[in-house]
């Protein structure tokens, strides 16, 4: 089944403890990105990747890192999480980065930082 | 200025009836894509339908259709024969061309739909 898989689904952690949210897609998509969703602020892009080894900042990149060493994987790293990073996170991918290419989302990771 | 505006924060619809969700957008690009997504209470984001800026025909996908009026910059979603499982948050989104836009999807604020039996 074609899908974007992100793990874990739920995560509770403490301030400063490094964590990684994994994301993998099996559709051979070139483009991948991370979004966070917050009440009142909507969905905002954190980072994106046009292809392997090519990543760039989105609208809210502070406090996050990404890497794209393989086409299928695009992990999100929080080196030192803080409570303001409590959010619902989505990984998404599309065949290309073009405007006619729908983004397909993973099921989301609900992160709580205490 | 908001790029995607959804003016209906919430609405009720009777089961088996049709419902129209409004979406207006703002862009100076000639080439762009318009999308609708559904987010049920379980949280996942489900792609429903796509309309390209150069498409002359309105997009349809099963019970979903998109009423695209380019001159008015509107892209309304029509759900026909509503079902209880259609109860969810619905987001209109736009993807503009050009790397400067980050190739990202810009989302509206969403419309919550509740289908009544």
């Amino acid at each position: 089944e074609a899908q974007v898989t992100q793990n874990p689904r739920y995560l509770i952690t403490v301030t400063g403890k490094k964590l990684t949210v994994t994301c993998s897609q099996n559709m051979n998509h070139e483009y991948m990105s991370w979004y966070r969703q917050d009440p009142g602020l909507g969905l905002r892009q954190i980072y994106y990747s046009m292809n392997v080894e090519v990543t760039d900042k989105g609208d809210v990149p502070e406090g996050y890192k990404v890497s794209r060493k393989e086409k299928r994987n695009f992990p999100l790293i929080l080196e030192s999480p803080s409570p303001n990073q409590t959010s619902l996170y989505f990984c998404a991918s599309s065949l290309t980065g073009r405007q006619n290419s729908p983004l397909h989302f993973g099921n989301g990771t609900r992160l709580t930082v205490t | 200025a908001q790029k995607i505006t959804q003016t209906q924060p919430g609405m009720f619809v009777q089961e088996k009836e049709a419902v129209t969700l409004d979406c207006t957008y703002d862009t100076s690009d000639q080439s762009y894509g318009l999308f609708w997504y559904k987010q049920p209470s379980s949280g996942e984001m489900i792609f429903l339908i796509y309309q390209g800026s150069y498409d002359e025909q309105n997009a349809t996908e099963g019970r979903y259709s998109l009423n695209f009026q380019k001159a008015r910059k509107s892209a309304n979603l029509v759900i026909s024969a509503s079902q209880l499982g259609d109860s969810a948050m619905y987001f209109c989104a736009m993807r503009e061309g050009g790397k400067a836009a980050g190739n990202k999807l810009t989302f509206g604020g969403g419309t919550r739909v509740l289908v009544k039996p």
Side-chain angles (χ1 to χ4, degrees), chain A residues 41-56:
Chain A
L41 297 174
L43 287 115
R44 295 175 292 169
Q45 189 184 56
I46 303 170
Y47 268 95
Y48 67 98
S49 169
M50 293 292 288
N51 215 323
V52 178
E53 302 289 5
V54 180
T55 63
D56 213 339

PDB file of all heavy atoms in Angstrom, chain A residues 41-56:
ATOM      1  N   LEU A  41      -2.989  28.630  14.815  1.00  0.00           N
ATOM      2  CA  LEU A  41      -1.870  28.938  13.905  1.00  0.00           C
ATOM      3  C   LEU A  41      -1.921  28.097  12.643  1.00  0.00           C
ATOM      4  O   LEU A  41      -1.206  28.368  11.675  1.00  0.00           O
ATOM      5  CB  LEU A  41      -0.537  28.730  14.610  1.00  0.00           C
ATOM      6  CG  LEU A  41      -0.285  29.652  15.807  1.00  0.00           C
ATOM      7  CD1 LEU A  41       1.010  29.256  16.513  1.00  0.00           C
ATOM      8  CD2 LEU A  41      -0.211  31.116  15.367  1.00  0.00           C
ATOM      9  N   GLY A  42      -2.712  27.046  12.657  1.00  0.00           N
ATOM     10  CA  GLY A  42      -2.860  26.218  11.468  1.00  0.00           C
ATOM     11  C   GLY A  42      -1.645  25.348  11.213  1.00  0.00           C
ATOM     12  O   GLY A  42      -0.870  25.028  12.126  1.00  0.00           O
ATOM     13  N   LEU A  43      -1.475  24.977   9.964  1.00  0.00           N
ATOM     14  CA  LEU A  43      -0.357  24.130   9.558  1.00  0.00           C
ATOM     15  C   LEU A  43       0.760  24.991   8.992  1.00  0.00           C
ATOM     16  O   LEU A  43       0.527  25.814   8.102  1.00  0.00           O
ATOM     17  CB  LEU A  43      -0.809  23.129   8.489  1.00  0.00           C
ATOM     18  CG  LEU A  43      -1.672  22.008   9.030  1.00  0.00           C
ATOM     19  CD1 LEU A  43      -3.063  22.079   8.445  1.00  0.00           C
ATOM     20  CD2 LEU A  43      -1.026  20.665   8.694  1.00  0.00           C
ATOM     21  N   ARG A  44       1.946  24.763   9.494  1.00  0.00           N
ATOM     22  CA  ARG A  44       3.103  25.533   9.055  1.00  0.00           C
ATOM     23  C   ARG A  44       4.251  24.594   8.693  1.00  0.00           C
ATOM     24  O   ARG A  44       4.503  23.612   9.382  1.00  0.00           O
ATOM     25  CB  ARG A  44       3.549  26.490  10.169  1.00  0.00           C
ATOM     26  CG  ARG A  44       2.528  27.571  10.521  1.00  0.00           C
ATOM     27  CD  ARG A  44       2.980  28.387  11.706  1.00  0.00           C
ATOM     28  NE  ARG A  44       2.986  27.612  12.935  1.00  0.00           N
ATOM     29  CZ  ARG A  44       3.526  28.009  14.084  1.00  0.00           C
ATOM     30  NH1 ARG A  44       4.127  29.187  14.152  1.00  0.00           N
ATOM     31  NH2 ARG A  44       3.485  27.247  15.158  1.00  0.00           N
ATOM     32  N   GLN A  45       4.939  24.938   7.631  1.00  0.00           N
ATOM     33  CA  GLN A  45       6.028  24.083   7.146  1.00  0.00           C
ATOM     34  C   GLN A  45       7.293  24.321   7.963  1.00  0.00           C
ATOM     35  O   GLN A  45       7.704  25.466   8.183  1.00  0.00           O
ATOM     36  CB  GLN A  45       6.294  24.354   5.669  1.00  0.00           C
ATOM     37  CG  GLN A  45       7.255  23.378   5.039  1.00  0.00           C
ATOM     38  CD  GLN A  45       7.564  23.724   3.599  1.00  0.00           C
ATOM     39  OE1 GLN A  45       8.009  24.820   3.289  1.00  0.00           O
ATOM     40  NE2 GLN A  45       7.320  22.787   2.689  1.00  0.00           N
ATOM     41  N   ILE A  46       7.940  23.235   8.359  1.00  0.00           N
ATOM     42  CA  ILE A  46       9.161  23.326   9.161  1.00  0.00           C
ATOM     43  C   ILE A  46      10.387  23.255   8.261  1.00  0.00           C
ATOM     44  O   ILE A  46      11.242  24.141   8.267  1.00  0.00           O
ATOM     45  CB  ILE A  46       9.203  22.196  10.200  1.00  0.00           C
ATOM     46  CG1 ILE A  46       7.960  22.230  11.092  1.00  0.00           C
ATOM     47  CG2 ILE A  46      10.470  22.298  11.042  1.00  0.00           C
ATOM     48  CD1 ILE A  46       7.819  21.006  11.988  1.00  0.00           C
ATOM     49  N   TYR A  47      10.506  22.171   7.520  1.00  0.00           N
ATOM     50  CA  TYR A  47      11.587  21.937   6.579  1.00  0.00           C
ATOM     51  C   TYR A  47      11.034  21.191   5.383  1.00  0.00           C
ATOM     52  O   TYR A  47       9.988  20.549   5.475  1.00  0.00           O
ATOM     53  CB  TYR A  47      12.698  21.073   7.215  1.00  0.00           C
ATOM     54  CG  TYR A  47      13.807  21.838   7.870  1.00  0.00           C
ATOM     55  CD1 TYR A  47      13.779  22.094   9.236  1.00  0.00           C
ATOM     56  CD2 TYR A  47      14.907  22.282   7.142  1.00  0.00           C
ATOM     57  CE1 TYR A  47      14.812  22.784   9.857  1.00  0.00           C
ATOM     58  CE2 TYR A  47      15.941  22.971   7.752  1.00  0.00           C
ATOM     59  CZ  TYR A  47      15.883  23.227   9.112  1.00  0.00           C
ATOM     60  OH  TYR A  47      16.908  23.913   9.724  1.00  0.00           O
ATOM     61  N   TYR A  48      11.752  21.275   4.278  1.00  0.00           N
ATOM     62  CA  TYR A  48      11.385  20.488   3.129  1.00  0.00           C
ATOM     63  C   TYR A  48      12.640  20.006   2.406  1.00  0.00           C
ATOM     64  O   TYR A  48      13.739  20.520   2.624  1.00  0.00           O
ATOM     65  CB  TYR A  48      10.466  21.261   2.182  1.00  0.00           C
ATOM     66  CG  TYR A  48      11.090  22.441   1.485  1.00  0.00           C
ATOM     67  CD1 TYR A  48      11.572  22.347   0.182  1.00  0.00           C
ATOM     68  CD2 TYR A  48      11.158  23.684   2.121  1.00  0.00           C
ATOM     69  CE1 TYR A  48      12.120  23.450  -0.464  1.00  0.00           C
ATOM     70  CE2 TYR A  48      11.707  24.784   1.480  1.00  0.00           C
ATOM     71  CZ  TYR A  48      12.171  24.664   0.195  1.00  0.00           C
ATOM     72  OH  TYR A  48      12.725  25.754  -0.444  1.00  0.00           O
ATOM     73  N   SER A  49      12.424  19.016   1.549  1.00  0.00           N
ATOM     74  CA  SER A  49      13.526  18.443   0.781  1.00  0.00           C
ATOM     75  C   SER A  49      13.053  18.183  -0.644  1.00  0.00           C
ATOM     76  O   SER A  49      12.084  17.462  -0.854  1.00  0.00           O
ATOM     77  CB  SER A  49      13.975  17.129   1.422  1.00  0.00           C
ATOM     78  OG  SER A  49      14.863  16.443   0.567  1.00  0.00           O
ATOM     79  N   MET A  50      13.756  18.771  -1.595  1.00  0.00           N
ATOM     80  CA  MET A  50      13.391  18.587  -2.993  1.00  0.00           C
ATOM     81  C   MET A  50      13.884  17.238  -3.527  1.00  0.00           C
ATOM     82  O   MET A  50      13.318  16.720  -4.495  1.00  0.00           O
ATOM     83  CB  MET A  50      13.973  19.711  -3.843  1.00  0.00           C
ATOM     84  CG  MET A  50      13.363  21.073  -3.559  1.00  0.00           C
ATOM     85  SD  MET A  50      11.646  21.173  -4.083  1.00  0.00           S
ATOM     86  CE  MET A  50      11.858  21.224  -5.863  1.00  0.00           C
ATOM     87  N   ASN A  51      14.930  16.718  -2.918  1.00  0.00           N
ATOM     88  CA  ASN A  51      15.462  15.416  -3.341  1.00  0.00           C
ATOM     89  C   ASN A  51      16.548  15.004  -2.359  1.00  0.00           C
ATOM     90  O   ASN A  51      16.841  15.735  -1.392  1.00  0.00           O
ATOM     91  CB  ASN A  51      16.006  15.479  -4.764  1.00  0.00           C
ATOM     92  CG  ASN A  51      15.779  14.187  -5.533  1.00  0.00           C
ATOM     93  OD1 ASN A  51      15.873  13.095  -4.951  1.00  0.00           O
ATOM     94  ND2 ASN A  51      15.471  14.295  -6.801  1.00  0.00           N
ATOM     95  N   VAL A  52      17.158  13.867  -2.612  1.00  0.00           N
ATOM     96  CA  VAL A  52      18.197  13.348  -1.725  1.00  0.00           C
ATOM     97  C   VAL A  52      19.299  14.385  -1.559  1.00  0.00           C
ATOM     98  O   VAL A  52      19.733  15.005  -2.524  1.00  0.00           O
ATOM     99  CB  VAL A  52      18.778  12.037  -2.284  1.00  0.00           C
ATOM    100  CG1 VAL A  52      19.896  11.528  -1.381  1.00  0.00           C
ATOM    101  CG2 VAL A  52      17.696  10.988  -2.405  1.00  0.00           C
ATOM    102  N   GLU A  53      19.708  14.582  -0.297  1.00  0.00           N
ATOM    103  CA  GLU A  53      20.789  15.501   0.072  1.00  0.00           C
ATOM    104  C   GLU A  53      20.447  16.969  -0.161  1.00  0.00           C
ATOM    105  O   GLU A  53      21.321  17.824  -0.047  1.00  0.00           O
ATOM    106  CB  GLU A  53      22.099  15.146  -0.659  1.00  0.00           C
ATOM    107  CG  GLU A  53      22.603  13.729  -0.409  1.00  0.00           C
ATOM    108  CD  GLU A  53      23.137  13.519   1.005  1.00  0.00           C
ATOM    109  OE1 GLU A  53      23.041  14.424   1.855  1.00  0.00           O
ATOM    110  OE2 GLU A  53      23.633  12.416   1.280  1.00  0.00           O
ATOM    111  N   VAL A  54      19.192  17.276  -0.469  1.00  0.00           N
ATOM    112  CA  VAL A  54      18.777  18.666  -0.674  1.00  0.00           C
ATOM    113  C   VAL A  54      17.675  18.997   0.324  1.00  0.00           C
ATOM    114  O   VAL A  54      16.556  18.481   0.224  1.00  0.00           O
ATOM    115  CB  VAL A  54      18.255  18.902  -2.109  1.00  0.00           C
ATOM    116  CG1 VAL A  54      17.842  20.364  -2.272  1.00  0.00           C
ATOM    117  CG2 VAL A  54      19.304  18.509  -3.138  1.00  0.00           C
ATOM    118  N   THR A  55      18.007  19.826   1.315  1.00  0.00           N
ATOM    119  CA  THR A  55      17.000  20.234   2.292  1.00  0.00           C
ATOM    120  C   THR A  55      17.014  21.745   2.422  1.00  0.00           C
ATOM    121  O   THR A  55      18.032  22.398   2.140  1.00  0.00           O
ATOM    122  CB  THR A  55      17.253  19.602   3.675  1.00  0.00           C
ATOM    123  OG1 THR A  55      18.502  20.073   4.192  1.00  0.00           O
ATOM    124  CG2 THR A  55      17.278  18.080   3.593  1.00  0.00           C
ATOM    125  N   ASP A  56      15.896  22.295   2.871  1.00  0.00           N
ATOM    126  CA  ASP A  56      15.817  23.747   3.023  1.00  0.00           C
ATOM    127  C   ASP A  56      14.809  24.092   4.106  1.00  0.00           C
ATOM    128  O   ASP A  56      13.907  23.297   4.416  1.00  0.00           O
ATOM    129  CB  ASP A  56      15.424  24.408   1.712  1.00  0.00           C
ATOM    130  CG  ASP A  56      16.061  25.783   1.546  1.00  0.00           C
ATOM    131  OD1 ASP A  56      16.468  26.376   2.582  1.00  0.00           O
ATOM    132  OD2 ASP A  56      16.155  26.273   0.406  1.00  0.00           O
TER     133      ASP A  56
END
